[in-house]
């Protein structure tokens, strides 16, 4: 009897525990149900918004007719075993050519229109940097890269920054006309470029400058490989290489970059600097504190200057760390200055260099520069690829998020991958809104991955063609040459 009573008591305790367990399970399931209902409601609401998002059309992206017939002819001729350059020269060769030492017309607010009225600033200045541009053969990818600019930014002014020291491809007519070296280069350029670029030259929207390699500490007169890490850090470059007609908004284009479709410059003028975000295929650099710590470390190792009292410095360590943290929280991604397609606000860049000059390449006399005019010094020997990303972030300048930067230009990753790295809008309709704002179609292109799986990608404003695509990486070529990508980036097939 006693045993039966104890057994019953034990069973009673187990029943109480079991009932409590069931109670908690019911609460948990109810919680899951509530969350599910809420998510469904939010999803339906988001779906309703998504239906109202105005998507750019192909007419918005490509508002002009692309002359693929002539482009294909130039491309095939360049890649033929016997490059019959003379045949192309006969098409354009002329004794008349514009002098491109200055702009010869005034810019109208309307695209394609030049006026002779009061001087106007061009809406954007595009600097095309190529030391060997005068020696390029007809159909060279560089001409199509420049043609993409002329096609989708027809009201811009273009500066071709090149070298004359190794020019060796003067046309026969240049000798007959007894032309100077500079005029021979102008003539060859007019003869070799594609149609839209040729028309911009005739309208006086293009000028040619020959960089002084000694002034900007470049490796040689025809070697601009150190251009980004030296010339762009020099105040004299931003002061001397631009005229009063040039815009404060400057796009630097280097070999390997192609403008995919129409670029609305007004959407980016709020930023001090825009370029393709730093990429990492195997690591989410924004997921934790990696990016913040990297910039903080870079700041501390690069710009420590104990001779400047913190009380007189606008960029003392406390303010610097706070501004970097704020930049991280906003999703801003680090942008290397050596990207092939980047946009700068000249006044902000000059302010950054004067505030924290590079001790060797700034073009400033460091021993004469007043401490009141600078807050730090970027020491020699430290990687300067993130110079502007670091200094401008510390200064609190307006910078784009990693996702916005990836919509402007990408190198190794697509905007969808930038979302994973740097964070961004959670709902698809907000992602569509963001992409539409910058004239891109969110997930508007079907692209095959390395595993053969088809995924949807967003084609950005500009694409950088990795150098290894020209050295046998067939997968990358197929990815960039997929039907949808080529449709939204028509010049990409001529630069691969």
């Amino acid at each position: 009897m006693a045993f039966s009573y104890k057994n019953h008591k034990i069973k009673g305790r187990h029943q109480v525990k079991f009932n409590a367990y069931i109670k908690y399970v019911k609460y948990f399931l109810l919680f899951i149900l509530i969350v599910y209902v809420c998510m469904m409601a939010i999803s339906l609401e988001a779906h309703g918004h998504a239906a109202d998002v105005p998507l750019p059309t192909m007419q918005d992206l490509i508002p002009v007719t692309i002359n693929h017939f002539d482009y294909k002819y130039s491309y095939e001729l360049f890649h033929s075993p016997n490059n019959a350059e003379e045949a192309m020269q006969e098409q354009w060769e002329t004794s008349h050519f514009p002098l491109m030492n200055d702009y010869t017309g005034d810019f109208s607010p309307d695209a394609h229109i030049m006026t002779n009225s009061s001087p106007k600033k061009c809406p954007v200045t595009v600097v095309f940097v190529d030391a060997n541009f005068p020696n390029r053969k007809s159909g060279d990818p560089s001409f199509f890269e420049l043609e993409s600019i002329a096609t989708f930014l027809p009201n811009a002014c273009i500066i071709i920054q090149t070298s004359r020291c190794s020019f060796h491809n003067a046309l026969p007519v240049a000798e007959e006309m007894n032309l100077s070296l500079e005029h021979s280069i102008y003539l060859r350029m007019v003869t070799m470029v594609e149609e839209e670029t040729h028309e911009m030259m005739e309208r006086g929207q293009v000028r040619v400058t020959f960089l002084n390699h000694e002034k900007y500490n470049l490796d040689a007169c025809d070697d601009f490989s150190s251009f980004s890490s030296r010339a762009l850090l020099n105040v004299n470059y931003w002061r001397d290489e631009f005229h009063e007609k040039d815009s404060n908004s400057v796009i630097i284009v280097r070999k390997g970059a192609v403008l995919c479709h129409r670029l609305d410059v007004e959407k980016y003028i709020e930023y001090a600097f825009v370029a393709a975000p730093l990429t990492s295929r195997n690591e989410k650099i924004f997921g934790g504190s990696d990016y913040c710590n990297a910039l903080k470390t870079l700041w501390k190792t690069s710009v420590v200057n104990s001779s400047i009292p913190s009380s007189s410095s606008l960029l003392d360590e406390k303010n610097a760390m706070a501004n970097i943290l704020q930049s991280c929280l906003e999703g801003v991604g680090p942008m290397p200055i050596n990207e092939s397609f980047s946009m700068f606000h000249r006044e902000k860049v000059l302010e950054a260099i004067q505030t924290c000059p590079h001790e060797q390449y700034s073009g400033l006399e460091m021993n004469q520069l007043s401490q009141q005019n600078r807050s730090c010094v970027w020491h020699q020997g430290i990687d300067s690829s993130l110079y502007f990303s670091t200094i401008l972030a510390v200064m609190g300048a307006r910078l784009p998020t990693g996702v916005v930067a990836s919509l402007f230009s990408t190198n190794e990753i697509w905007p969808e991958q930038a979302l994973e790295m740097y964070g961004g809008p959670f709902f698809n309709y907000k992602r569509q809104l963001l992409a539409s704002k910058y004239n891109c179609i969110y997930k508007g292109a079907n692209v095959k991955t390395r595993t053969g799986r088809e995924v949807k990608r967003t084609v950005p404003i500009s694409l950088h063609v990795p150098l290894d695509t020209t050295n046998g990486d067939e997968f990358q070529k197929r990815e960039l040459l997929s039907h949808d990508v080529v449709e939204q980036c028509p010049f990409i097939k001529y630069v691969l």
Side-chain angles (χ1 to χ4, degrees), residues 465-473 477 495-496:
V465 181
L467 295 179
D468 53 6
T469 58
T470 60
N471 295 327
D473 192 332
K477 288 183 180 180
V495 301
L496 286 172

Side-chain angles (χ1 to χ4, degrees), residues 234-243 346 350 354 364:
N234 194 308
V235 292
N236 297 312
Y237 176 83
W238 298 101
R239 290 171 176 169
D240 300 344
E241 300 299 329
F242 300 92
H243 292 181
R346 271 198 295 154
L350 277 169
Q354 291 169 322
L364 299 169

Side-chain angles (χ1 to χ4, degrees), residues 93-356:
E93 190 165 327
T94 175
S95 59
H96 163 74
F97 61 93
L99 298 180
M100 293 183 285
N101 58 337
D102 198 358
Y103 305 123
T104 57
D106 296 318
F107 292 85
S108 164
D110 299 318
H112 292 93
I113 298 177
M114 301 293 293
T115 69
N116 294 317
S117 58
S118 59
K120 299 181 179 66
K121 275 194 173 186
C122 53
V124 61
T125 296
V126 179
V127 183
F128 191 82
V129 184
D130 186 348
N132 294 305
F133 192 73
N135 295 320
R136 303 290 182 191
K137 294 182 179 181
S138 297
D140 186 276
S142 294
F143 292 121
F144 289 110
E145 293 161 7
L146 186 58
E147 185 74 353
S148 71
I149 303 296
T151 300
F152 297 123
L153 279 175
N155 59 342
C157 51
I158 296 178
I159 305 173
I160 299 176
Q161 288 185 339
T162 187
S163 169
R164 59 187 161 198
C165 66
S166 59
F167 176 62
H168 55 75
N169 273 330
L171 303 178
V173 69
E175 186 175 346
E176 297 172 9
M177 296 170 62
N178 194 29
L179 297 179
S180 66
L181 177 62
E182 287 79 6
H183 288 185
S184 296
I185 291 176
Y186 300 157
L187 175 59
R188 179 175 172 79
M189 285 186 180
V190 171
T191 302
M192 294 292 107
V193 297
E194 298 296 330
E195 182 178 359
E196 296 298 329
T197 309
H198 184 272
E199 290 187 7
M200 288 188 74
M201 288 178 170
E202 291 290 350
R203 293 196 299 266
Q205 292 174 256
V206 181
R207 64 185 179 93
V208 179
T209 61
F210 304 99
L211 281 184
N212 183 338
H213 71 286
E214 294 179 344
K215 179 178 181 178
Y216 301 121
N217 294 286
L218 303 181
D219 295 327
C221 66
D222 56 356
D223 182 359
F224 292 177
S225 57
S226 57
F227 170 83
S228 296
S229 59
R230 296 182 185 179
L232 293 185
L233 306 187
N234 194 308
V235 292
N236 297 312
Y237 176 83
W238 298 101
R239 290 171 176 169
D240 300 344
E241 300 299 329
F242 300 92
H243 292 181
E244 73 171 342
K245 289 184 183 178
D246 284 310
S247 173
N248 268 328
S249 299
V250 176
I251 296 177
I252 304 291
V253 182
R254 302 199 64 191
K255 189 168 179 58
V258 61
L259 188 57
C260 286
H261 46 258
R262 184 175 63 85
L263 167 61
D264 187 350
V265 176
E266 292 295 319
K267 299 291 178 60
Y268 293 94
I269 59 175
E270 64 179 299
Y271 301 119
F273 170 45
V274 192
L278 191 66
T279 61
S280 175
R281 286 186 176 273
N282 302 316
E283 183 181 1
K284 293 183 179 180
I285 54 179
F286 183 76
S289 59
D290 294 346
Y291 163 43
C292 290
N293 289 337
L295 282 193
K296 289 177 181 178
T297 301
L298 189 60
W299 171 260
K300 291 178 180 178
T301 57
S302 305
V303 303
V304 171
N305 191 342
S306 58
S307 64
I308 302 177
S310 60
S311 59
S312 65
S313 171
L314 296 175
L315 307 184
D316 62 78
E317 185 171 341
K318 182 178 179 180
N319 288 336
M321 297 301 104
N323 287 341
I324 289 177
L325 178 59
Q326 181 62 34
S327 179
C328 295
L329 293 175
E330 293 174 357
V332 172
M335 299 168 290
I337 59 176
N338 55 354
E339 292 295 339
S340 295
F341 194 90
S342 51
M343 183 171 173
F344 300 84
H345 190 284
R346 271 198 295 154
E347 292 180 357
K348 291 294 184 182
V349 167
L350 277 169
E351 183 183 352
I353 297 174
Q354 291 169 322
T355 300
C356 192

Side-chain angles (χ1 to χ4, degrees), residues 419-484:
L419 272 166
E420 295 178 3
M421 292 183 181
Y422 297 103
F426 177 77
F427 294 112
N428 276 340
Y429 85 90
K430 288 197 172 183
R431 296 177 180 182
Q432 291 173 5
L433 279 173
L434 184 63
S436 297
K437 175 182 177 180
Y438 294 99
N439 202 36
C440 297
I441 303 175
Y442 178 65
K443 290 191 174 182
N446 290 318
V447 176
K448 282 191 176 181
T449 65
R450 290 182 180 270
T451 60
R453 185 171 60 93
E454 196 171 78
V455 296
K456 292 186 177 295
R457 298 298 192 198
T458 303
V459 178
I461 295 294
S462 69
L463 279 172
H464 170 77
V465 181
L467 295 179
D468 53 6
T469 58
T470 60
N471 295 327
D473 192 332
E474 292 302 320
F475 165 74
Q476 287 182 302
K477 288 183 180 180
R478 288 198 304 270
E479 187 178 41
L480 294 175
L481 292 177
S482 63
H483 176 270
D484 291 345

Side-chain angles (χ1 to χ4, degrees), residues 346-407:
R346 271 198 295 154
E347 292 180 357
K348 291 294 184 182
V349 167
L350 277 169
E351 183 183 352
I353 297 174
Q354 291 169 322
T355 300
C356 192
H358 190 286
E359 66 178 350
Q360 182 173 353
Y361 301 129
S362 68
L364 299 169
E365 294 293 336
M366 303 301 292
N367 57 347
Q368 298 178 5
L369 191 63
S370 170
Q371 290 184 358
Q372 295 179 350
N373 295 331
R374 61 182 173 90
S375 297
C376 58
V377 174
W378 189 281
H379 293 307
Q380 170 65 9
I382 304 297
D383 179 19
S384 58
S385 62
L386 294 179
Y387 173 84
F388 287 120
S389 281
T390 306
I391 303 302
L392 290 170
V394 168
M395 291 171 58
R398 182 86 168 127
L399 295 170
T401 65
V403 178
V404 170
S406 72
L407 292 171

